[in-house]
Amino acid sequence: MQLDDRSNNFINELVSNPNIKSKDLERKYNLSRRQIDYSFEKINYWLSTKNLPVIERTRQGVFLVDPVTIQTLSPQSEDDAQMVKILNEDERVNTILFMLISNFEELSIVHFTSQLEISKNTVLSDLKRAKHIASKYDLAIQYSRREGYLLQGKEFNIRRLLLSLVHLMLEMSNGKELMESIARIEQTELIDIRNRIEIIENELGMKFTDEKIDMMPYVFSVILKRIHEGKLIKQTSMDYQQLSDTKEYRATEGILGDVEDIPLEERLYITLHLLSTNVYWSEHLTTDVIPELTLALEKMLTLFEKSTCIVIQNKPQLLNKLLLHVKPAYYRIKYHLTEVMEIEDPISEEFKELHHLVKKSTAPLSQFIGVKVPDSETVYLTMLIGGWLTKQGEKIQTKIKAIVVCPKGVSVSRLMFGELRELFPEFIFLDSLSIRAFKNYQLDYDVVFSPVYLDTEKKLYIANSFLGQEEKSRLRKQVMIDFHGIALQGFKIRDMKAIISKHSTIHNEELLIKDLYHYINALNDVPVEISDPAPSYSLRDLISNSNINLVDRVDDWESAIRLAATPLIEQQCITENYIEAMLENCTDDPYIIIGKGLAIPHAGPEDGVNQTAMSLLRIKEGVKFSEDYTIHVVVVIAAVDKDKHIKALMQLMKLSAHKKDMEQLATASDSETIEQIIEKYSKKEETEK
C-alpha cells in the first residue's frame, strides 16, 4: 500500500526533523489543523497495517515518533513507503455513497472491498455510517440478492447528496481520479461539459466561482448518466413559474446538449442548479435579482446598523456584493440544497462577535425566504460585511461589547436590554441572557449589566431592571468615567430637531434625525435619544374588574394558567394556542417569577395574541410552581409588540417589590381591593414622572 503525497511529505518532515511542531506544518503547507489531523489519521492507519508504532502528538503540538518508526521510514525504506493511497473512514464512506449514485451495475460487498482495498468487516462498518448519512437526505441503502446494494429514495434527494459528495471528494488528494474511475467519466466528456458551462457563462453575463467550475462537470456528467438510465426527477416542490421565467432556464439547452426527450422536471432541476451556483461576477445582477430579495437585504443591513451603531458607507455597493452571494443562496435555502455549502473551518475568532450580530440581523431575510438562514450561509455574509467594515476603517473588535443578564423573564430582559442600548449607543450590546445562559456564554464581551451580583472577571454594573431617569443619569456618568475618564450631558435628538425647525424648513425629518444621531454619536460618548416615548398602557388600563379572578385553590400549575387566561380567551384577546405556548415556556422555568408569590406567564406575539391585554388570578392557598416557589398571584401577559405593555409591566415590578401590598393582594377578599392596589401603582408612576 502507499500513502498520498501530502502524507509522504509529512513523514519526510518528521524523519528529517523530529522536533517539528503541528503549527510549523500548518504554516509551511498552508493547511488547517483539521487537514493536518486528517493526514495523520491516514498515516497512523498505514503504520498500523505495517505493525509500526503510531505517531502521537502532545497538547503543545509536538510529535512523538517511536525510534523504530523513524528507522523504518528513513530514506533507505523509501520504496517501501510508496505503495496505494489510503483513505480515511470519512473518505471511504463518501466513496461508497458515490459508487451507489454513479455506478449502475449490481454492487456487492466484493465491489466495495475491491475498490477500497479493505476487509469485508471494514466495509460493513463503513456501510452503517453510509446508511446514517443517507438517512439525513431521506434516503435508504437496501440490499437484495438479485440487485445488490441500492440507494433508494426520491431522485431530488439523491441529487442533493450527489452535490455534497462531489464537493467533498474534490477535496481528497485523489478524488478526481476516484470519481472518474467509479463513474467511468472520460476526460473528453469533462472538457466538453466545461466548455458548455463557459458558453453559458457568456450567455448569462456572469462568472461562476472556481470551486463551482471544478464541481459542475462531475455533477452534470453523473446527472446525465442517471437521466439516460431512467433515474428521473418526478413531481417536486420546484416552482415552475419562478424557475422557467429565467435566463438560466433557457440556458439549460447548453448543458443538456443533444440529449433528447428531457422531461420538464429535469430542465427545471438544471435551471435550479445554475441559479443556486455561486458566482463572483455578474453583468446583469440588478435587473435579474428578485426585487423582494433586495428589500429584505436592505432591511437586514438597517437592522445590523441599528444593533452595532455603525453607519455602513457606500451601502449600495455592499448591497450589490451581498446580492451576488445571496441570490444563489436564496435558491439553495428555499430548496434545501445548503448541505453542499460545507465550511471547512469555523468562523475565525476575529469575526466571532460580528458573526453573532450578523445572524441576529438576518430575520428579514429568513422572513422573506420562509425558513431560517443556515449558519453555513451566514458565515459568508459575515465575511463580506466584515471585509467591508475593515475597508471603511470600522472594527467590531475595538468597540466596547456589552451583555445584559437578567433573571426576571423575557419581557423584563427585553425592556432592560432596550433601555441600556439607548443609554449607551456607543456600545455594542450582544445579548440579553438568563443567569443560566450567562454561565455558558461563549462570546467575548467587556461589560455586564445586571440587577443581581454575578461571578465575572469583566466589568460588572448593578442596575435595576427598570431604570428611572435619575438612575440612568448616575449609571451613564459612572460608566463613562470608568471607560473614558469623562461624562458628558446627553442629547435628545427630537428636542434638537424642534429647535432647528423654528429657524428653517425641514424636508425630511427622519433623515435629519438619523444624520444628527450618527454625527453626535461619532463626536461624543453621550446618550442620544431618538424616539419619542412609545404609547404604553398602565396596569389599570389592562387589568379591570372583568379580568380579575379570585379562587381559594387550584389543582396544579397548569390549571392556574388556564384559569388565569380564561378572561382573555373570552374577550378573544388571545387564542388557545397562546395558552399552550405559555405552558411550554413555563416548564420548570423560575424566570417567570418576578416577586414573592407573583408569576407572569407569557409567550410571543406570534403564538396567538390578538390584542395587548393582562388578566389576574388570585389563589388564596397558593399553588406549587416548583419545590422552591409557591404562587399566590398569576398575571397573564399578552403583548402584540414589545412596547405597549412595558409601562404596566414596570408598575407590576414595583408592586412585586412591596411586601405589604403583595400580602394584601394575596389575601384580598374581593376584586375591588385588588383594583385599588392596581390603581395605586398606576398613579404612583404618574406622580414620579
Side-chain angles (χ1 to χ4, degrees):
M1 297 195 306
Q2 81 178 30
L3 291 168
D4 58 79
D5 296 337
R6 182 195 292 170
S7 299
N8 273 321
N9 289 337
F10 288 171
I11 285 178
N12 292 333
E13 293 279 2
L14 289 175
V15 169
S16 60
N17 180 14
N19 295 320
I20 196 167
K21 294 186 177 181
S22 183
K23 283 287 183 187
D24 299 327
L25 294 177
E26 289 176 31
R27 281 193 292 269
K28 182 170 182 178
Y29 291 95
N30 193 27
L31 297 170
S32 68
R33 174 165 183 158
R34 183 180 173 187
Q35 290 170 313
I36 298 286
D37 290 344
Y38 277 162
S39 289
F40 275 95
E41 186 183 337
K42 292 179 187 177
I43 291 169
N44 282 335
Y45 179 84
W46 179 79
L47 289 173
S48 66
T49 65
K50 309 294 254 175
N51 293 319
L52 290 172
V54 297
I55 298 167
E56 297 180 11
R57 182 169 46 181
T58 68
R59 288 186 176 181
Q60 290 73 37
V62 176
F63 294 99
L64 304 178
V65 190
D66 192 283
V68 174
T69 301
I70 292 178
Q71 185 177 2
T72 307
L73 299 180
S74 59
Q76 61 265 28
S77 306
E78 195 172 328
D79 291 339
D80 190 43
Q82 304 287 326
M83 292 184 280
V84 196
K85 300 211 176 226
I86 307 263
L87 302 181
N88 65 32
E89 187 178 14
D90 288 337
E91 292 171 338
R92 295 198 307 270
V93 170
N94 292 337
T95 303
I96 288 173
L97 288 166
F98 187 78
M99 289 174 71
L100 290 167
I101 290 176
S102 59
N103 195 312
F104 302 103
E105 296 178 353
E106 177 188 325
L107 290 175
S108 65
I109 291 289
V110 174
H111 288 88
F112 298 131
T113 56
S114 174
Q115 177 68 55
L116 300 169
E117 298 193 7
I118 53 178
S119 69
K120 177 182 176 181
N121 285 339
T122 304
V123 166
L124 291 173
S125 175
D126 289 344
L127 272 168
K128 284 184 180 179
R129 283 202 60 206
K131 288 178 181 178
H132 176 68
I133 291 172
S135 68
K136 294 180 180 179
Y137 294 81
D138 293 325
L139 301 171
I141 298 174
Q142 297 187 349
Y143 175 77
S144 70
R145 289 179 177 273
R146 182 179 176 181
E147 297 179 302
Y149 284 92
L150 294 171
L151 188 63
Q152 295 191 334
K154 291 182 179 179
E155 182 65 18
F156 189 87
N157 292 337
I158 291 175
R159 306 276 179 92
R160 286 171 57 213
L161 177 57
L162 172 65
L163 294 174
S164 292
L165 290 173
V166 172
H167 171 75
L168 292 169
M169 293 189 74
L170 282 174
E171 292 184 336
M172 295 163 53
S173 57
N174 61 334
K176 289 183 178 180
E177 294 85 354
L178 256 179
M179 287 192 290
E180 290 164 20
S181 170
I182 292 169
R184 299 176 186 175
I185 303 172
E186 300 290 338
Q187 281 296 317
T188 53
E189 183 183 349
L190 294 173
I191 293 169
D192 179 49
I193 294 176
R194 187 166 186 135
N195 288 339
R196 292 187 206 175
I197 292 168
E198 289 176 358
I199 293 170
I200 287 174
E201 283 183 314
N202 293 330
E203 288 179 8
L204 298 177
M206 65 172 61
K207 293 291 181 185
F208 298 116
T209 60
D210 291 342
E211 179 190 43
K212 299 305 174 185
I213 285 291
D214 287 341
M215 282 181 61
M216 289 166 81
Y218 292 95
V219 169
F220 284 132
S221 176
V222 174
I223 286 175
L224 291 172
K225 283 178 169 60
R226 290 189 67 83
I227 291 173
H228 180 73
E229 292 290 327
K231 310 289 186 183
L232 303 174
I233 286 181
K234 301 292 193 281
Q235 288 183 338
T236 70
S237 59
M238 289 188 292
D239 187 333
Y240 170 77
Q241 192 63 44
Q242 186 184 44
L243 299 179
S244 63
D245 191 25
T246 61
K247 290 192 298 184
E248 284 80 0
Y249 181 78
R250 294 187 289 277
T252 56
E253 294 293 337
I255 294 294
L256 296 169
D258 54 1
V259 182
E260 297 180 357
D261 301 324
I262 297 294
L264 171 64
E265 286 80 7
E266 291 295 347
R267 293 183 184 277
L268 291 176
Y269 180 81
I270 300 293
T271 303
L272 178 59
H273 187 83
L274 294 175
L275 285 166
S276 63
T277 298
N278 278 346
V279 299
Y280 72 82
W281 174 81
S282 176
E283 183 181 354
H284 308 294
L285 180 64
T286 52
T287 56
D288 290 348
V289 82
I290 308 152
E292 296 87 348
L293 183 59
T294 307
L295 184 60
L297 274 176
E298 287 175 344
K299 288 180 178 178
M300 186 192 87
L301 289 179
T302 300
L303 204 57
F304 176 79
E305 286 181 310
K306 183 178 178 182
S307 64
T308 59
C309 290
I310 290 175
V311 182
I312 296 174
Q313 298 170 10
N314 301 317
K315 197 187 292 186
Q317 292 179 31
L318 173 59
L319 190 62
N320 277 338
K321 273 185 169 291
L322 290 172
L323 282 169
L324 207 60
H325 167 75
V326 175
K327 183 187 173 185
Y330 163 77
Y331 291 100
R332 285 195 298 270
I333 297 166
K334 181 173 180 179
Y335 293 102
H336 309 290
L337 297 173
T338 51
E339 288 86 353
V340 72
M341 299 301 298
E342 294 285 341
I343 306 299
E344 281 201 13
D345 298 306
I347 197 78
S348 66
E349 287 295 325
E350 180 186 4
F351 287 125
K352 212 168 183 181
E353 286 76 34
L354 177 64
H355 182 224
H356 177 71
L357 294 165
V358 169
K359 281 174 69 175
K360 290 179 73 171
S361 303
T362 56
L365 200 54
S366 297
Q367 189 175 6
F368 166 64
I369 299 173
V371 293
K372 184 181 177 183
V373 178
D375 203 45
S376 56
E377 301 290 356
T378 59
V379 166
Y380 287 96
L381 293 175
T382 300
M383 291 175 180
L384 288 167
I385 293 173
W388 195 265
L389 294 180
T390 302
K391 182 180 171 183
Q392 73 177 47
E394 293 276 8
K395 285 193 174 180
I396 295 284
Q397 301 89 316
T398 61
K399 289 183 172 286
I400 296 171
K401 292 178 282 294
I403 58 174
V404 177
V405 180
C406 181
K408 302 274 187 173
V410 177
S411 291
V412 178
S413 296
R414 284 178 181 169
L415 171 67
M416 189 177 180
F417 184 84
E419 287 194 328
L420 287 168
R421 194 162 71 175
E422 284 186 12
L423 188 60
F424 299 99
E426 62 273 52
F427 290 4
I428 291 178
F429 280 82
L430 296 171
D431 275 303
S432 173
L433 308 166
S434 68
I435 293 176
R436 285 179 295 179
F438 168 69
K439 289 177 180 177
N440 300 308
Y441 197 62
Q442 300 296 316
L443 297 180
D444 188 31
Y445 57 90
D446 307 294
V447 183
V448 187
F449 294 97
S450 177
V452 297
Y453 175 78
L454 300 168
D455 184 14
T456 176
E457 296 177 357
K458 299 299 174 73
K459 196 74 177 173
L460 171 65
Y461 293 97
I462 304 295
N464 287 329
S465 304
F466 302 102
L467 297 168
Q469 198 56 48
E470 188 177 327
E471 186 178 3
K472 283 182 181 180
S473 179
R474 176 196 60 75
L475 184 61
R476 173 78 195 178
K477 184 175 181 180
Q478 180 186 350
V479 173
M480 287 299 102
I481 289 174
D482 287 348
F483 279 91
H484 303 294
I486 186 171
L488 298 174
Q489 181 60 38
F491 289 92
K492 287 190 176 181
I493 296 293
R494 296 282 179 189
D495 292 348
M496 295 180 68
K497 189 262 306 179
I499 295 171
I500 293 170
S501 65
K502 287 181 182 179
H503 307 284
S504 60
T505 302
I506 299 174
H507 299 287
N508 189 322
E509 283 193 12
E510 290 307 315
L511 191 58
L512 172 65
I513 289 168
K514 184 177 178 182
D515 288 346
L516 282 173
Y517 168 79
H518 290 304
Y519 176 70
I520 294 170
N521 191 49
L523 290 178
N524 305 288
D525 292 316
V526 295
V528 182
E529 295 180 20
I530 293 182
S531 303
D532 295 320
S536 186
Y537 297 111
S538 66
L539 265 181
R540 66 181 169 203
D541 294 329
L542 296 179
I543 303 179
S544 60
N545 190 281
S546 60
N547 285 17
I548 298 173
N549 270 334
L550 280 73
V551 296
D552 289 339
R553 61 179 301 277
V554 292
D555 293 335
D556 51 32
W557 176 244
E558 180 178 338
S559 302
I561 289 184
R562 292 190 184 279
L563 185 56
T566 300
L568 303 188
I569 289 286
E570 291 174 349
Q571 296 162 24
Q572 298 184 341
C573 295
I574 60 173
T575 65
E576 290 287 349
N577 187 61
Y578 189 76
I579 296 178
E580 301 306 321
M582 282 195 294
L583 288 168
E584 188 175 335
N585 291 347
C586 291
T587 306
D588 288 332
D589 185 356
Y591 296 109
I592 65 161
I593 313 300
I594 64 169
K596 189 174 181 180
L598 175 61
I600 53 168
H602 55 277
E606 68 281 359
D607 293 315
V609 179
N610 300 323
Q611 180 182 328
T612 298
M614 287 185 180
S615 58
L616 184 150
L617 173 68
R618 195 291 320 269
I619 310 164
K620 195 170 186 178
E621 295 178 13
V623 61
K624 279 281 186 183
F625 172 73
S626 67
E627 287 301 316
D628 301 320
Y629 298 99
T630 299
I631 303 302
H632 289 274
V633 181
V634 178
V635 177
V636 171
I637 299 175
V640 294
D641 59 28
K642 64 180 182 180
D643 299 317
K644 291 187 176 66
H645 70 298
I646 293 301
K647 184 195 291 185
L649 186 57
M650 290 176 68
Q651 293 164 354
L652 194 60
M653 286 293 295
K654 289 176 181 178
L655 167 58
S656 71
H658 199 288
K659 185 178 179 181
K660 186 176 286 187
D661 287 337
M662 278 301 301
E663 288 175 354
Q664 190 179 359
L665 192 68
T667 58
S669 58
D670 52 59
S671 58
E672 286 74 20
T673 303
I674 292 176
E675 282 187 284
Q676 288 171 11
I677 296 171
I678 288 172
E679 180 69 19
K680 174 182 174 181
Y681 281 86
S682 297
K683 281 185 175 180
K684 181 181 282 191
E685 208 234 14
E686 290 172 3
T687 305
E688 287 173 355
K689 286 185 176 179

